[in-house]
Amino acid sequence: MKSSTIEYGDGLLLVPDRPRVAFMPGDGIGPEVWAAARPVLEKAVAACYGAGRALDWVELPLGQSALSSHGDLLPERTLRSIRELRVAIKGPTMTPVGSGHRSLNVTLRQSLELYANVRPVRHFPGVVSPVLQPEALDVVIFRENTEDVYAGIEFERGSAGCASLRRALAELGHRVSADAALGVKPISRKASRRLLRMAFDHALRHGRRRITMVHKGNIMKATEGAFRRWGYELARQEYAGRVLPASSLVAGHDLPSGAVLLEDRIADAMFQDLLLKPALFGVIAAPNLNGDYLSDACAAQVGGLGIAPGANIGDGVALFESTHGTAPDIAGRGLANPGSMILSGALMLEHLGWSEAAHCVQSAFAAVLRSGRMTVDLAAGREGIQVLGTQDFAAAVRHEIRPP
Ligand code: NAI
């Protein structure tokens, strides 16, 4: 089977049977969790498709190892190849503190225009959670990735930029204390709509019944309020009859089959509702900051902060990544949990349209946890758990993979 490059046209990926897919192991525990995850993904593909499909991995330099070999944490060649190959997976990378380096993750997301951060969150039986019914939460969060207060438009207190912005604000009738630092929060219609479009499409494709936009539009009317407004506008303009605003439903009438309900929640109320009524939610769409908070709060609620998978997706390019950091305290000791990397790999398989293989990985992973076999981070303080190292845990997952 000849390997070839994934193509993209009319909003769709065209995936050959042996696609070239990029990987970057990353720093710290990255190489360990990647070495553990890769054979799991390969076994799932082989179990589901036999000799009919395979992944052709292409390693790209990134992070500390790239600095040694190429003199750059993020060589231009890596960016170019990810753009060309269209699908990539990476381990965590270290961001040196206070050295002037920008986070590699932020640079990758911005350079490749990966405008949606996608985080599915659900509970795996056997994992301890701080709530009584963790299984009630099963959501996919779409977080806008390029704007909001993360755009990096900030001015230190006392700086020339700060003084100049203060003067401009004064002209607009806003008085700001001379002692203040200032930041700008851009939220555009274009970026909001493309993020919401991806969330709507996901909900429709996966038979989800509800999309919840989370905003603080009661306070930030011009920015987060507009995010909400643009969501309803998009539903009306492009998804009529398929994505239905809650206000358009006639009382007492059910949602038509195949349609998705669109509603919105103020962010503070959402954090309460996720704890008190988690089963209400399916797909969540939010601007950058709300989405950041929500992703980690939801992952913690199911006890899975360390095993949450993640993806950064743009038009025709997607980068899958473990959501934890480089864990320098345990790097090289065989203790790291490869779960986030394995599940991010499953997301990647799903993105390729290889849902059977993705499902195989998720089921095998769930089976190992259910049987009480865990890495030390999940086992801590619990009785009756068989503690496994990184590679043994991954081998157990591999062993549980069954053809569909
Ligand atoms: P961290 O996630 O690396 O570690 C926090 C704690 O969680 C540590 O005690 C660590 O041992 C534990 N931990 C993390 N992943 C684990 C795993 N897979 N299995 C078992 N235990 C795990 O966060 P920290 O310490 O704040 O950051 C360390 C470095 O990682 C920094 O340079 C930071 O910039 C970078 N980082 C990179 C990310 C990425 O590339 N996506 C995300 C977060 C941090």
Side-chain angles (χ1 to χ4, degrees), residues 29 90 92-95 105 322 324-330 336-337 377:
I29 59 171
K90 71 175 272 294
T93 45
M94 195 256 281
T95 303
N105 290 316
S322 53
H324 53 72
T326 56
D329 51 335
I330 55 166
N337 185 339
D377 53 311

Side-chain angles (χ1 to χ4, degrees), residues 33-34 36-49 55 57 89 122-125 307-309 320 337-352 354-370 373 393-404:
V33 293
W34 171 247
R38 176 175 166 164
V40 173
L41 306 179
E42 288 171 352
K43 176 143 186 216
V45 171
C48 292
Y49 313 115
L55 294 159
W57 299 110
I89 184 164
R122 70 170 169 112
H123 180 246
F124 286 96
I307 53 174
F320 297 81
N337 185 339
S340 180
M341 196 85 234
I342 291 173
L343 294 175
S344 298
L347 271 189
M348 187 191 81
L349 295 172
E350 181 84 52
H351 183 75
L352 294 175
W354 298 3
S355 313
E356 302 82 2
H359 185 70
C360 247
V361 172
Q362 285 152 351
S363 306
F365 183 75
V368 173
L369 293 180
R370 209 168 37 238
R373 290 170 291 167
F393 179 84
V397 177
R398 227 164 49 235
H399 189 71
E400 290 288 343
I401 285 178
R402 316 246 182 277

Side-chain angles (χ1 to χ4, degrees), residues 97-343:
V97 179
S99 67
H101 281 292
R102 284 201 76 191
S103 151
L104 281 185
N105 290 316
V106 174
T107 311
L108 278 166
R109 288 171 196 175
Q110 292 185 348
S111 312
L112 298 167
E113 258 205 286
L114 305 173
Y115 58 80
N117 181 268
V118 184
R119 285 255 214 128
V121 183
R122 70 170 169 112
H123 180 246
F124 286 96
V127 174
V128 171
S129 138
V131 301
L132 292 174
Q133 289 184 308
E135 66 284 357
L137 186 72
D138 179 359
V139 294
V140 183
I141 301 166
F142 288 79
R143 163 189 167 196
E144 205 288 322
N145 229 357
T146 63
E147 300 196 317
D148 203 346
V149 285
Y150 289 65
I153 311 172
E154 289 202 304
F155 302 92
E156 300 264 5
R157 164 183 171 268
S159 65
C162 199
S164 153
L165 189 51
R166 251 184 75 239
R167 278 194 300 278
L169 288 169
E171 277 174 26
L172 294 168
H174 297 287
R175 291 176 65 82
V176 177
S177 159
D179 191 34
L182 290 173
V184 177
K185 179 183 173 78
I187 298 228
S188 71
R189 181 167 177 267
K190 177 182 167 201
S192 301
R193 280 168 63 106
R194 67 184 178 181
L195 181 272
L196 288 158
R197 203 175 276 120
M198 196 185 282
F200 291 5
D201 288 342
H202 178 95
L204 288 165
R205 224 178 16 254
H206 291 86
R208 294 282 189 161
R209 299 294 277 163
R210 185 182 295 238
I211 302 161
T212 308
M213 298 182 284
V214 183
H215 60 90
K216 197 71 188 157
N218 54 333
I219 306 296
M220 292 170 265
K221 298 181 197 303
T223 51
E224 303 218 355
F227 177 85
R228 166 187 178 275
R229 209 168 53 248
W230 291 324
Y232 288 121
E233 172 196 87
L234 182 71
R236 254 193 336 271
Q237 292 177 344
E238 295 182 18
Y239 294 84
R242 294 183 297 151
V243 174
L244 305 178
S247 60
S248 72
L249 282 191
V250 180
H253 284 243
D254 288 340
L255 191 64
S257 98
V260 190
L261 185 78
L262 177 65
E263 56 153 26
D264 68 276
R265 287 275 202 292
I266 307 271
D268 43 347
M270 182 67 176
F271 280 93
Q272 294 177 33
D273 285 347
L274 277 165
L275 280 168
L276 300 173
K277 303 175 227 170
L280 275 187
F281 303 105
V283 168
I284 295 171
N288 212 334
L289 181 61
N290 294 333
D292 192 5
Y293 293 159
L294 281 167
S295 303
D296 277 12
C298 286
Q301 189 164 327
V302 296
L305 201 50
I307 53 174
N312 295 292
I313 304 185
D315 291 328
V317 184
L319 176 62
F320 297 81
E321 64 176 356
S322 53
T323 51
H324 53 72
T326 56
D329 51 335
I330 55 166
R333 296 169 57 195
L335 300 174
N337 185 339
S340 180
M341 196 85 234
I342 291 173
L343 294 175

